[in-house]
């Protein structure tokens, strides 16, 4: 009987945590992404935070004014949400290392400090609220949230 050492699999976004410079990375294997206008993404992010829903890494490209939510691999298949673009297998995105301060890429929710992913179902609800104006009716209950800028 052969002995095999068990090595728990790191969250798939762990590879993002290991980047040392911005790198073009293929979506669809380790993660998928949802691209959305930065202002909508910020409203969706606040919607999730106010409800205490775990949020995965969120990247902002200040040059294009777009935000990217990392979601589980395969979740982009069948994604149908207005004002967004699903990036799955066959798509590429430039990701910055955690804590990156140079250039136009910024992590709004850093991969080193966040959940592995944002659940696609939670993101769908948050984006719907962010684009419909319902997010303005939500206020935190007994929690202070730092203002984030995309």
């Amino acid at each position: 009987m052969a002995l095999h050492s068990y090595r728990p699999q790191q969250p798939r976004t762990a590879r993002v945590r290991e980047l040392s410079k911005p790198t073009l990375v293929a979506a669809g294997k380790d993660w998928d992404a949802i691209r959305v206008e930065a202002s909508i993404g910020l409203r969706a992010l606040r919607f999730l935070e106010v409800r205490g829903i775990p949020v995965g890494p969120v990247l902002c490209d200040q040059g294009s004014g777009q935000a990217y939510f990392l979601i589980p691999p395969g979740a982009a298949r069948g994604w149908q949400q207005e004002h967004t673009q699903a990036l799955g297998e066959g798509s590429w995105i430039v990701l910055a290392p955690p804590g990156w301060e140079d250039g136009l890429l910024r992590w709004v929710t850093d991969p080193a400090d966040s959940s592995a992913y944002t659940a696609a179902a939670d993101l769908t609800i948050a984006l719907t609220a962010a684009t419909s104006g319902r997010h303005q009716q939500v206020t935190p209950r007994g929690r202070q949230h730092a203002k984030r800028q995309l």
Side-chain angles (χ1 to χ4, degrees):
M1 181 169 150
L3 294 176
H4 298 280
S5 62
Y6 173 72
R7 290 177 30 184
Q9 185 175 358
Q10 293 180 311
R12 292 179 184 248
T13 55
R15 289 183 195 98
V16 174
R17 294 179 184 125
E18 296 168 1
L19 295 176
S20 62
K21 63 182 179 180
T23 305
L24 183 64
V25 182
K29 180 180 177 191
D30 295 331
W31 45 266
D32 287 351
I34 301 300
R35 181 172 58 206
V36 62
E37 181 182 312
S39 62
I40 294 171
L42 180 57
R43 290 193 302 266
L45 177 62
R46 287 183 182 151
F47 180 94
L48 294 166
E49 288 180 328
V50 163
R51 286 166 173 71
I53 298 170
V55 179
V58 180
L59 181 69
C60 180
D61 180 341
Q62 296 173 331
S64 68
Q66 300 292 304
Y68 298 82
F69 286 81
L70 297 190
I71 59 174
R77 273 187 241 113
W79 178 270
Q80 293 183 4
Q81 178 81 32
E82 286 188 60
H83 310 289
T84 68
Q85 182 175 2
L87 304 169
E89 192 172 335
S91 299
W92 294 79
I93 181 174
V94 176
L95 297 178
W100 184 254
E101 297 290 330
D102 296 333
L104 297 174
L105 292 176
R106 297 283 188 275
W107 287 105
V108 180
T109 305
D110 200 289
D113 301 327
S114 64
S115 299
Y117 309 107
T118 300
D122 293 335
L123 184 56
T124 298
I125 293 166
L127 289 168
T128 299
T131 57
S132 71
R134 290 194 313 244
H135 66 282
Q136 295 173 349
Q137 300 172 3
V138 179
T139 56
R141 294 184 182 165
R143 291 176 59 181
Q144 294 291 336
H145 294 278
K147 290 187 178 182
R148 296 178 189 244
Q149 293 183 0
L150 291 181

